[in-house]
């Protein structure tokens, strides 16, 4: 509730200074920004319980959901995670040092490698994704099923609209 009152205060200050502006959009975007920050904090706290960062968990989850043999090319990971190859390399180095992934020569192209989940990486991904889904359910518990459906529809529509502009 403190977040909402700080947003209301911010908008109220702008209304006092610039009564000519329609500030409803500012208030909505501020709420979305605060919500995004809160979700990132929650996700980060859970990832830390598994001794990984959220971007590292994203790699583990991407490999795990790819199905057996839980291997992908770095280019496939980069594309799926929307990160550069340099960023991915650093994350893979950290995961490899923890024994959660391995790099293997690509049998189809000896100039490249495949990234594979290790057995400890697969077990961690399975345990962490179970906790992750429960954490997301908990974060959304304040909303009823119809409210969640409406939120899904509205955020999908907003994302599609922003994608058209970009």
């Amino acid at each position: 509730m403190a977040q909402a009152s700080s947003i209301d205060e911010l908008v109220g200050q702008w209304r006092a200074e610039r009564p000519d502006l329609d500030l409803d959009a500012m208030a909505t975007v501020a709420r979305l920004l605060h919500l995004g920050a809160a979700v990132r904090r929650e996700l980060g706290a859970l990832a830390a319980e598994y001794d990984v960062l959220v971007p590292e968990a994203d790699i583990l989850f991407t490999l795990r959901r790819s199905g057996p043999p839980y291997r992908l090319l770095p280019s496939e990971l980069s594309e799926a995670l929307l990160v550069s190859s340099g960023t991915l390399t650093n994350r893979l180095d950290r995961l490899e040092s923890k024994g959660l992934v391995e790099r293997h020569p690509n049998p189809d192209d000896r100039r490249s490698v495949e990234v594979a989940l290790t057995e400890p990486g697969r077990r961690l991904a399975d345990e962490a994704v179970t906790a992750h889904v429960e954490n997301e359910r908990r974060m959304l518990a304040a909303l009823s099923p119809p409210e969640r459906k409406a939120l899904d529809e509205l955020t999908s529509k907003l994302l599609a609209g922003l994608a058209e502009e970009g």
Side-chain angles (χ1 to χ4, degrees):
M1 200 50 119
Q3 297 275 334
S5 64
S6 70
I7 293 168
D8 293 340
E9 183 179 334
L10 173 142
V11 172
Q13 290 169 337
W14 274 114
R15 278 203 169 90
E17 292 297 316
R18 293 291 308 273
D20 58 308
L21 294 177
D22 176 2
L23 299 168
D24 291 343
M26 180 186 281
T28 300
V29 170
R31 285 184 185 90
L32 290 171
L33 290 171
H34 282 267
L35 179 61
V39 168
R40 278 189 296 281
R41 278 192 306 275
E42 294 289 328
L43 296 178
L46 181 63
E49 292 180 23
Y50 291 90
D51 193 31
V52 294
L53 301 172
V54 170
E56 294 168 351
D58 288 342
I59 292 170
L60 297 175
F61 292 170
T62 301
L63 287 166
R64 177 60 179 94
R65 68 184 159 87
S66 73
Y70 311 114
R71 291 177 178 226
L72 292 171
L73 298 172
S75 59
E76 294 170 321
L77 282 168
S78 289
E79 185 178 324
L81 299 169
L82 305 174
V83 297
S84 70
S85 61
T87 297
L88 180 66
T89 297
N90 290 333
R91 293 174 185 172
L92 290 175
D93 288 346
R94 289 193 302 268
L95 289 170
E96 193 169 34
S97 73
K98 294 175 185 180
L100 301 174
V101 301
E102 296 173 332
R103 292 176 174 111
H104 298 281
N106 182 347
D108 299 325
D109 180 357
R110 63 187 180 143
R111 296 170 298 164
S112 70
V113 297
E114 293 179 323
V115 179
L117 272 180
T118 62
E119 185 55 29
R122 190 194 59 75
R123 285 193 309 268
L124 186 138
D126 282 344
E127 184 180 330
V129 77
T130 300
H132 175 70
V133 169
E134 177 58 27
N135 191 38
E136 290 176 328
R137 189 206 57 74
R138 180 193 55 77
M139 285 189 281
L140 296 172
L143 301 177
S144 69
E147 288 170 329
R148 281 182 51 188
K149 184 173 191 249
L151 179 63
D152 287 345
E153 291 168 356
L154 292 170
T155 53
S156 293
K157 183 177 181 177
L158 183 57
L159 287 168
L162 290 171
E164 286 176 12
E165 291 180 13

